[in-house]
Amino acid sequence: MSREILVALAGNPNVGKSTLFNALTGATAHVANWPGVTVELREGRTSHHGVEMRIVDLPGTYSIGGVTEEAERVAREFLISERPDVVVVLADATALERTMYLPLMVMEITPRVVVAVNMMDVAARRAIHVDLQGISAALGVPVVGISALRGEGIGALLDRVLAVAEGREGRKHPLRIDYDGLEPYISRIEKLLVKSGWKESIPARWAALRLLEGDPKVAEAAGRYSEEVKSEAERVRSEAGIDLRIPPDQVAVESRYRYIDRLLRGRVRRTRLLGSGLSEALDRVALHPLGGPIFSLGVMLGTFFLAFVANMGFPLNLILYLGGMPDLAEAVEELSLTGLLGGFFEWLGAEASAALSNSGAPGWLVSLVCDGVISGVGAVLSFLPLVLTVYLLLGALQDTGILARSAVSLHKFLRKFGLSGRSVFPAVVGFGCNVPAVMATRALDDDRERMIMAMTSPIIPCQARLVVMLALAGGVTRDPGGQALVMLAMYSLSVVLWLAVSALISRFMFRVRSAPELVMEIPPYHRPSLKVIWWYARTNTEHFLTKAGTLILGFTVALWFLLHFGPSGFVPQAALESDPSSVEGTFAAALGKALAPLGSLVGLPDWRMMLAFEAGFLAKEAVISILVTTTGAPDPAGALRALGMTPLQSLALTVAMMTYTPCVATLAAIKQELRYVKYVWRVVAYEIAMAILLAAAVYWGGVALGLS
Amino acid sequence: MRWRRGRAGGPPPPPGSGNLIPLTAVPPGGAGVVRWIGGGRGQIRRIMEMGLTPGSPVTVVANSAGPVVVSSRGVTLAIGRGLASKIMVEVTG
């Protein structure tokens, strides 16, 4: 017989929750929509002793009591609305005093809990001994020691999960914590609720506590039973605050920690004090007021240097050109992953075209497959290695704990711009791709900071824009040194814009008076684990593929249609290639021409430039292929020459390309994170305005200075 | 008395009471016990949920221009200076 049980996985950030999730679910993991919490969560399956388990990975949170914190709301509402058969809550054996807080909170909602104490191996190495049985006996639920990274104790954990699901082990009722001074108020509200016929899936005592803590959702639920109960509860709450002179939610936090102190007394023993020499020495540098920021920036620059070289040879090829070794530079370019994949798709397109033509397929179909689908898929796939390498390196930075130090050391600087040190994470990810950067803003505590970062992180130049920039820089100057300078200037400009716009939004849109403060945990330095880094990279890359991939593919086909069809019907690729002027008969040209007056504003009057901007809205890297196909030039630099672009115009074009609206995939991510379309429009509007202003400033400024 | 461990919220302790100093004034390597946490309600709650409650022993790891880094309950926390200045500790070593 087979049945399925629903298991939710909860835990603090940094306790190895993702590692356990991956160890449990392996290749079955995927992202699924949970309408009850209006958010996507990762889930996967496993089976144990013939029982199928569906495992859902809740967001990493320190608590589930927060009212404004998105992640906490999601975790809490999942537990309440989906009612999982078992909740596995992770704690960290090396920091039980802190990480038992979340298990307690979960146990107050549901008795069907298994506590998994992770990092037992690390604890053993640090001579920390944990009496798991004693804790289990005191809590009344199974407590299992595991090492998610080494896969130790997973079988035992699943045994306990089954036992709790079948009711053989565990508590019958939710955990009851003694809330000292709050108790009389809790029981008063609880009685009111019971009298009003409370039949929700959450325990009345917990609901009473939540009402005291000021949870608007529970108040709403209480209001459905009787408005009187709701207002009475509100009265009791303010009464408690006045009597105790302390807001009830703070009393509750203290009581829980006091419970933990009693629970762990005599059950956790540290025989040797912490303080490994190396991590202290590292922290002396990483947390130094001056050395810290330099260290962080150095590590990040080094990371991107590595990623870019592996993927497209840049900037190593430029360095080799400058060093007078052009042959070697070309070899580096061709052997880079992007170069290899580009060559492959060119070959595939030609083969498919020949095969289809021979079998008598109509011309437009051959073109759709070869110029639309294959080149579209190629566009996505040639980015895959780039994205993957960046995530591998970012994963390493995060797993070792280095990124957390960067957040701390850059916090003071970022505060000046209305951001906190935590914004370092999404910003750094943004250099790889803006889509995951926007998604990474979810981890920010401060609601306003989260919105600011979701709206401004797209300014950070992603790798697709790097490709465009590289090509356009060739039109500004032929000198490789000059090109490198242009690139450096563009990156600096983008970072300055990101900070400036963040500060402006913070000050004028949200009218924030004091910048967000920082409270964050600094995980201990880890030796990087390849397994964890790989999981991190794989998950994020898959996300990129599904989100960006489908969009880019779909829009490439749409673009193909615009480029190959016109009022007079199909325009074959061969005609476009042999006679670039034939593009004028397409819908794309009509659209470009309509926008041409806008281009004249910034010194870019040619309608083909506007067409490139349209294409870049779908996917930035498409800009290059548009410029090349519509001019019939062999390479981007040639295309710019064919368009009659002066170096000054090329520079204005580069600036505009860097700063105008983010691609559709990024906008979709912003919509998903911020929920309202109005924010998407604002992003599009301010970025286009910014691009026009800057490009116009560059062009007309240059003209005024007598440049061309 | 229930609050002898310390307080969260409410007015700050009067100057000169005990040997209370703000967390920002504790030098690196210094240790103490948290006696008062001030600030907005949300902020107080956040700090407390990260494990820093009145009565928690703390050791300062780094304290210079940026956030104050402290170690407490087996974890290391970075706390922005604005918040840290509203945390009063009784110095013990």
Side-chain angles (χ1 to χ4, degrees), chain A residues 266-387:
Chain A
R267 296 193 174 112
V268 176
R269 241 172 256 280
R270 290 164 200 268
T271 40
R272 198 173 20 138
L273 270 174
L274 39 96
S276 105
L278 182 65
S279 65
E280 273 176 25
L282 269 172
D283 267 348
R284 263 198 290 281
V285 179
L287 299 177
H288 188 272
L290 195 68
I294 295 174
F295 175 78
S296 303
L297 291 177
V299 167
M300 283 175 208
L301 284 179
T303 304
F304 285 108
F305 185 83
L306 268 178
F308 290 167
V309 168
N311 284 299
M312 38 202 174
F314 172 86
L316 190 61
N317 56 349
L318 271 183
I319 295 172
L320 290 172
Y321 273 122
L322 289 175
M325 287 174 280
D327 296 346
L328 205 54
E330 259 169 52
V332 166
E333 259 169 61
E334 268 171 38
L335 287 180
S336 66
L337 289 167
T338 311
L340 290 172
L341 273 173
F344 170 74
F345 280 104
E346 214 165 282
W347 169 83
L348 189 67
E351 290 290 306
S353 161
L356 279 170
S357 304
N358 287 342
S359 65
W364 66 265
L365 185 65
V366 178
S367 177
L368 171 63
V369 171
C370 304
D371 311 317
V373 176
I374 292 184
S375 73
V377 173
V380 178
L381 286 192
S382 62
F383 267 85
L384 201 56
L386 246 104
V387 172

Side-chain angles (χ1 to χ4, degrees), chain B residues 70-82:
Chain B
V70 299
S71 158
S72 174
R73 289 182 196 265
V75 293
T76 310
L77 300 175
I79 304 168
R81 292 197 83 74

Side-chain angles (χ1 to χ4, degrees), chain A residues 314 318 466-480 482-488 490 624 636-637 640 647 650-651 654:
Chain A
F314 172 86
L318 271 183
L466 169 63
V467 178
V468 177
M469 245 191 309
L470 274 170
L472 294 183
V476 179
T477 166
R478 300 254 186 117
D479 171 35
Q483 290 177 13
L485 210 63
V486 171
M487 305 290 296
L488 190 66
M490 286 302 142
I624 305 297
L640 293 179
S650 299
L651 190 62
T654 314

